[in-house]
Amino acid sequence: MSTSVTASPAKSAAPGLRTPRKKHTPGKPKRNVLLTVLMALMVLYTVVPLIWLIINSTKTQAGLADSNGLWFAHDFALWDNVRDTFTYHDGIFGRWLLNTLLYVGLGAGGATLLAVLGGYALAKFQFPGRRAVFAVVIGAVAVPGTALAVPTFLMFSKMGLTDTPSAVIIPSLVSPFGLYLMWVFAAEAIPTELLEAARMDGASEVRTFFQVALPLLAPGIVTVLLFTTVATWNNYFLPLIMLKDPDWYPLTLGLSAWSSQAQTIGGDVIFNLVITGSLLTILPLIAAFLFLQKHWQSGLAAGSVKE
Amino acid sequence: MTTLQPPVAAEPRPAPPPAKRDRRSWTGWGFLGPFVAVFALVFLAPIVYSIYLSLFRNQLIGGNQFVGLDNYTRALQDDAFWGAVGRVALFLAVQVPLMLGIALLVALALDSGRLYGKSFFRITIFLPYAVPAVVATLMWGFMYGTKYGLVGDINSAFGVTLPDLLSPGWVLASIGNIVTWEFVGYNMLIFYSALRVVPTSLYEAAEIDGAGQWRIIRSIKLPAIRGAIVIATIFSIIGSFQLFNEPSILRPLALNSITTDFTPNFYTYSLSFNGQQHNYSATVAIIMGVITMIVAYAVQLRGMRKEA
């Protein structure tokens, strides 16, 4: 997973958004071996658990117990493990994968859409209550999200939404972080004159948004989509409290259920499937990050955290 | 610590006012409306509902009864609650500076232009952010174990006995390591993105004036990214106070070390879902929310004041 990355150019500033960093002419900094070695240690810390995961997903339950954690066992059982992961318990893992895709598709997709629309409005319109919205959104998110989970559960339970996919999807629709990113991004990426010109030509607000604003927002949208996808794909606490029926579990909840079933009396010990399932769970996201890195990094650099 | 929190500290620079701002129009609400509607349902309504719940007690006889601030009095005298708060405070005091310090060093190293293979380092160190807390905790949990884990391997390979990382004395540090692993790259990226937008002409001017690298870092780079540092600190504080996923997933492997009141969030969860004490659980959640807001606000004030 590492080799494909090295080739990509370090391109951080979104083209056209700010003047490119000028080349540092007086004495380009010398590359430093010591610094590189220190960073390599940091990378080691980062990848050792991932390597451990890859190596151990090739082992059987027995092999896990009696082999060294950082080297392969004599039997190579990766493909058996993958097959067993998907067939165990009538193929529930596949069901969890589909659930996760559903939650990500509707939750993260919807969150991105709402954030793009809202961020655009905050950046490009003056309207009554604009400051108040900022204050309320920022104030409310300082309340720890998990502290809201229990009252949200009780509320949703009264509305008959718990134990259904909507209980997971609806709360995922709001990404204050996404709204903030889009707000800052839209403020920089869309010249107000362009909007004025479109309006002068008689374009409706909706048409102006889709034909003028949206294309300019693309790098920001990719960034927000990626971050809301990670948040939804990795979500654990919300489905944990909202869902009882394993048929509606996302991958994260399913994996933790598999892991803790070893502790129950008479429970099947399937750590090999937990490990292989974990690997299968992280691969899509890591792939998405690597393939889209140029886009999301430029979206992030366009002022998201600039003062 | 699974969901992204928005930056609480810095208000985005307000958009330049439209060229012709004769009258304020309501058009913006058409775009913002959908967000605000869902936000009201999943953020505001639960807060209000939670305050309402905290004023009642559900009794076997008599049903739901208004008890005023009784639940709050109870929480303020609850040793289990304060024990949990103390634990996350200790966690916060050690883990957050360590994680942000490492992230800052990595970001400065990346920005220095003195590294071989810079983009490889940047993306690799960021990768754990894509790993769900569940998977990260399961991986590290296995590795900590003496049975399948690396600790066991090290013990048998070198004939040593490392401390049991899942024992009560070590488990908080073990969780700290998991959280650091998950989020160091994320914070590094925040710092790095902020560093990238510092105009290089400042560095050139400083160099002409004879400033060394350390001087440039101390006098230009760090002040320039102060806002990002404040934001990252506030994220991390909120994250620490919310700590739930890692201890709850690690618990089956460390039953004796991680109690159901290990963190305030774990405590509210247990109260609600194992104890059916919804009203008291809501109270604890509110108090924790208030504590978090106060600390986050204090950090923000301090961070911003220094800037002036």
Side-chain angles (χ1 to χ4, degrees), chain A residues 28-32, chain B residues 108-115 118:
Chain A
K28 199 164 179 284
K30 278 210 191 80
R31 304 225 187 260
N32 187 313
Chain B
L108 286 169
L110 286 174
D111 190 61
S112 71
R114 286 159 195 267
L115 280 179
K118 185 173 95 174

Side-chain angles (χ1 to χ4, degrees), chain A residues 86-170:
Chain A
F86 277 103
T87 53
Y88 183 80
H89 220 295
D90 298 327
I92 188 107
F93 189 85
R95 168 88 198 222
W96 293 338
L97 177 62
L98 292 178
N99 291 342
T100 305
L101 291 173
L102 174 77
Y103 301 154
V104 167
L106 295 179
T112 306
L113 181 69
L114 296 186
V116 170
L117 291 172
Y120 171 68
L122 287 168
K124 292 295 162 193
F125 290 94
Q126 295 292 327
F127 51 88
R130 188 173 160 277
R131 308 286 310 173
V133 168
F134 173 79
V136 172
V137 171
I138 295 303
V141 291
V143 179
T146 36
L148 290 173
V150 173
T152 310
F153 165 79
L154 293 172
M155 232 175 67
F156 276 34
S157 157
K158 288 233 162 83
M159 300 195 274
L161 291 174
T162 42
D163 223 8
T164 69
S166 356
V168 177
I169 293 168
I170 294 174

